[in-house]
Coordinates of all heavy atoms in Angstrom, one line a residue:
E1004 N 0.9 -1.2 0.0 CA 0.0 0.0 0.0 C 0.9 1.2 0.0 O 2.0 1.2 0.5 CB -0.9 0.0 1.2 CG -1.9 -1.1 1.2 CD -2.8 -1.2 2.4 OE1 -3.4 -0.1 2.7 OE2 -2.9 -2.2 3.0
V1005 N 0.4 2.3 -0.5 CA 1.2 3.6 -0.6 C 1.8 4.0 0.7 O 3.0 4.3 0.8 CB 0.4 4.7 -1.3 CG1 1.1 6.0 -1.2 CG2 -0.1 4.4 -2.7
S1006 N 1.0 3.9 1.7 CA 1.5 4.4 3.1 C 2.6 3.4 3.6 O 3.6 3.9 4.1 CB 0.3 4.4 4.1 OG -0.3 3.2 4.2
S1007 N 2.4 2.1 3.4 CA 3.4 1.2 3.8 C 4.7 1.4 3.0 O 5.8 1.2 3.6 CB 2.9 -0.3 3.6 OG 1.8 -0.5 4.4
Y1008 N 4.6 1.6 1.7 CA 5.8 1.9 0.9 C 6.5 3.1 1.5 O 7.8 3.1 1.6 CB 5.3 2.1 -0.5 CG 6.4 2.0 -1.6 CD1 6.2 1.2 -2.7 CD2 7.5 2.8 -1.6 CE1 7.1 1.1 -3.7 CE2 8.5 2.7 -2.6 CZ 8.3 1.9 -3.7 OH 9.2 1.8 -4.7
G1009 N 5.8 4.2 1.8 CA 6.4 5.4 2.3 C 7.1 5.1 3.7 O 8.2 5.7 4.0
E1010 N 6.6 4.2 4.5 CA 7.2 3.9 5.8 C 8.6 3.3 5.6 O 9.4 3.4 6.5 CB 6.3 2.9 6.5 CG 5.0 3.6 7.1 CD 4.0 2.6 7.7 OE1 4.3 1.4 7.8 OE2 2.9 3.1 8.0
I1011 N 8.8 2.7 4.5 CA 10.1 2.1 4.2 C 11.2 3.2 4.3 O 12.2 3.1 4.9 CB 10.2 1.4 2.9 CG1 9.3 0.1 2.9 CG2 11.6 1.0 2.5 CD1 9.1 -0.5 1.5
F1012 N 10.9 4.3 3.7 CA 11.8 5.5 3.7 C 12.0 6.0 5.1 O 13.1 6.3 5.5 CB 11.4 6.6 2.7 CG 11.4 6.1 1.3 CD1 10.2 5.9 0.6 CD2 12.6 6.0 0.6 CE1 10.2 5.5 -0.7 CE2 12.6 5.6 -0.7 CZ 11.4 5.3 -1.4
T1013 N 10.9 6.1 5.8 CA 11.0 6.6 7.2 C 11.9 5.7 8.0 O 12.7 6.1 8.8 CB 9.6 6.7 7.8 OG1 8.8 7.6 7.0 CG2 9.6 7.3 9.2
D1014 N 11.6 4.4 7.9 CA 12.4 3.4 8.6 C 13.9 3.4 8.3 O 14.7 3.1 9.1 CB 11.8 2.0 8.4 CG 10.5 1.8 9.0 OD1 10.0 2.6 9.8 OD2 9.8 0.8 8.6
L1015 N 14.2 3.9 7.1 CA 15.6 4.0 6.6 C 16.2 5.3 7.1 O 17.4 5.5 6.8 CB 15.7 3.8 5.1 CG 15.4 2.4 4.6 CD1 15.3 2.4 3.1 CD2 16.5 1.4 5.0
G1016 N 15.5 6.1 7.8 CA 16.0 7.4 8.3 C 15.9 8.6 7.4 O 16.4 9.6 7.7
F1017 N 15.1 8.5 6.4 CA 14.8 9.6 5.5 C 13.9 10.6 6.2 O 13.1 10.2 7.1 CB 14.3 9.2 4.2 CG 15.3 8.6 3.3 CD1 15.5 7.2 3.3 CD2 16.0 9.3 2.4 CE1 16.4 6.6 2.5 CE2 17.0 8.8 1.6 CZ 17.2 7.4 1.6
K1018 N 14.0 11.9 5.9 CA 13.1 12.9 6.5 C 12.2 13.5 5.4 O 12.4 13.3 4.2 CB 14.0 14.1 6.9 CG 15.2 13.7 7.9 CD 14.7 13.3 9.2 CE 15.9 13.1 10.1 NZ 15.9 11.8 10.7
N1019 N 11.2 14.2 5.9 CA 10.2 14.9 5.0 C 9.6 13.9 4.0 O 9.5 14.2 2.8 CB 10.8 16.1 4.3 CG 11.3 17.1 5.2 OD1 10.7 17.4 6.2 ND2 12.5 17.7 4.9
V1020 N 9.3 12.7 4.5 CA 8.8 11.6 3.6 C 7.4 12.0 3.2 O 6.5 12.3 4.0 CB 8.8 10.3 4.3 CG1 8.2 9.2 3.4 CG2 10.3 9.9 4.7
K1021 N 7.1 11.9 1.9 CA 5.8 12.1 1.4 C 5.4 10.9 0.5 O 6.2 10.5 -0.4 CB 5.7 13.4 0.5 CG 5.9 14.7 1.3 CD 5.9 15.9 0.5 CE 6.1 17.2 1.2 NZ 7.1 17.2 2.2
A1022 N 4.3 10.3 0.8 CA 3.8 9.1 0.1 C 2.4 9.5 -0.3 O 1.5 9.6 0.5 CB 3.8 7.9 1.0
V1023 N 2.2 9.6 -1.7 CA 0.9 10.1 -2.2 C 0.4 9.1 -3.2 O 1.1 8.7 -4.1 CB 1.1 11.5 -2.9 CG1 -0.2 12.0 -3.4 CG2 1.8 12.5 -1.9
D1024 N -0.9 8.8 -3.0 CA -1.6 7.9 -3.9 C -2.0 8.8 -5.2 O -2.8 9.7 -5.0 CB -2.8 7.4 -3.3 CG -3.6 6.4 -4.2 OD1 -3.5 6.5 -5.4 OD2 -4.4 5.6 -3.6
V1025 N -1.4 8.5 -6.3 CA -1.7 9.2 -7.5 C -2.3 8.3 -8.6 O -2.1 8.4 -9.8 CB -0.4 9.9 -8.1 CG1 0.0 11.1 -7.2 CG2 0.7 9.0 -8.3
T1026 N -3.1 7.3 -8.1 CA -3.8 6.4 -9.0 C -4.6 7.1 -10.0 O -4.7 6.7 -11.2 CB -4.6 5.4 -8.2 OG1 -3.7 4.8 -7.2 CG2 -5.2 4.3 -9.1
N1027 N -5.2 8.2 -9.6 CA -6.1 9.0 -10.5 C -5.2 9.5 -11.7 O -5.7 9.4 -12.9 CB -6.8 10.2 -9.8 CG -5.8 11.1 -9.2 OD1 -4.6 10.8 -8.9 ND2 -6.2 12.4 -9.0
L1028 N -4.0 9.9 -11.5 CA -3.1 10.3 -12.6 C -2.7 9.1 -13.5 O -2.7 9.2 -14.7 CB -1.9 11.0 -12.0 CG -0.8 11.5 -13.0 CD1 -1.4 12.5 -14.0 CD2 0.3 12.1 -12.3
F1029 N -2.5 8.0 -12.8 CA -2.2 6.7 -13.5 C -3.3 6.3 -14.5 O -3.1 6.0 -15.6 CB -1.9 5.6 -12.5 CG -1.5 4.3 -13.1 CD1 -0.5 4.2 -14.0 CD2 -2.1 3.1 -12.6 CE1 -0.1 3.0 -14.5 CE2 -1.7 1.9 -13.1 CZ -0.7 1.8 -14.1
V1030 N -4.5 6.4 -14.0 CA -5.7 6.1 -14.8 C -5.8 7.1 -16.0 O -6.1 6.7 -17.1 CB -7.0 6.1 -13.9 CG1 -8.3 6.2 -14.8 CG2 -7.0 5.0 -12.9
E1031 N -5.6 8.4 -15.7 CA -5.6 9.3 -16.8 C -4.6 9.0 -17.9 O -4.8 9.1 -19.1 CB -5.4 10.8 -16.3 CG -6.5 11.3 -15.5 CD -6.2 12.7 -14.9 OE1 -5.2 13.4 -15.4 OE2 -6.9 13.1 -13.9
C1032 N -3.4 8.6 -17.4 CA -2.3 8.3 -18.4 C -2.7 7.0 -19.2 O -2.5 7.0 -20.4 CB -1.0 8.0 -17.6 SG -0.3 9.5 -17.0
L1033 N -3.2 6.0 -18.5 CA -3.7 4.8 -19.2 C -4.7 5.1 -20.3 O -4.7 4.6 -21.4 CB -4.2 3.8 -18.2 CG -3.1 3.1 -17.3 CD1 -3.8 2.4 -16.2 CD2 -2.2 2.2 -18.1
E1034 N -5.7 5.9 -19.9 CA -6.8 6.3 -20.8 C -6.2 7.1 -22.0 O -6.6 6.9 -23.2 CB -7.9 7.1 -20.1 CG -8.7 6.2 -19.2 CD -9.6 7.0 -18.3 OE1 -9.5 8.2 -18.1 OE2 -10.5 6.3 -17.7
A1035 N -5.3 8.0 -21.8 CA -4.6 8.7 -22.8 C -3.8 7.8 -23.8 O -3.8 8.0 -25.0 CB -3.7 9.8 -22.2
E1036 N -3.1 6.8 -23.2 CA -2.4 5.9 -24.0 C -3.3 5.1 -24.9 O -3.0 4.8 -26.0 CB -1.5 5.0 -23.1 CG -0.4 5.7 -22.4 CD 0.7 6.2 -23.4 OE1 0.9 5.6 -24.4 OE2 1.4 7.2 -23.0
L1037 N -4.4 4.6 -24.3 CA -5.4 3.9 -25.1 C -5.9 4.7 -26.3 O -6.0 4.2 -27.4 CB -6.5 3.3 -24.2 CG -6.2 2.2 -23.3 CD1 -7.2 2.0 -22.3 CD2 -5.9 0.9 -24.1
K1038 N -6.2 5.9 -26.0 CA -6.7 6.8 -27.1 C -5.7 7.0 -28.1 O -6.0 6.9 -29.3 CB -7.1 8.2 -26.5 CG -7.7 9.1 -27.5 CD -8.2 10.4 -26.8 CE -8.8 11.3 -27.9 NZ -8.6 12.7 -27.6
K1039 N -4.4 7.2 -27.7 CA -3.3 7.5 -28.7 C -3.1 6.2 -29.5 O -2.9 6.3 -30.7 CB -2.1 7.9 -27.9 CG -0.9 8.2 -28.8 CD -1.2 9.5 -29.6 CE 0.0 9.9 -30.4 NZ -0.3 11.1 -31.2
M1040 N -3.1 5.0 -28.9 CA -2.9 3.8 -29.6 C -4.0 3.6 -30.7 O -3.7 3.1 -31.8 CB -2.9 2.6 -28.7 CG -1.6 2.4 -27.9 SD -0.2 2.2 -29.0 CE -0.3 0.4 -29.3
D1041 N -5.2 4.0 -30.4 CA -6.3 3.9 -31.3 C -6.0 4.8 -32.5 O -6.2 4.4 -33.7 CB -7.6 4.2 -30.7 CG -8.8 4.0 -31.6 OD1 -8.9 2.9 -32.2 OD2 -9.7 4.9 -31.7

């Protein structure tokens, strides 16, 4: 999950960790790719 993935960075000592679900952008990109392929 996005939050669990972000925790890996925190556990490794990284600071200012941001873990954001951008699935909506992924869906937009997939739809654009399908349109372009057509």
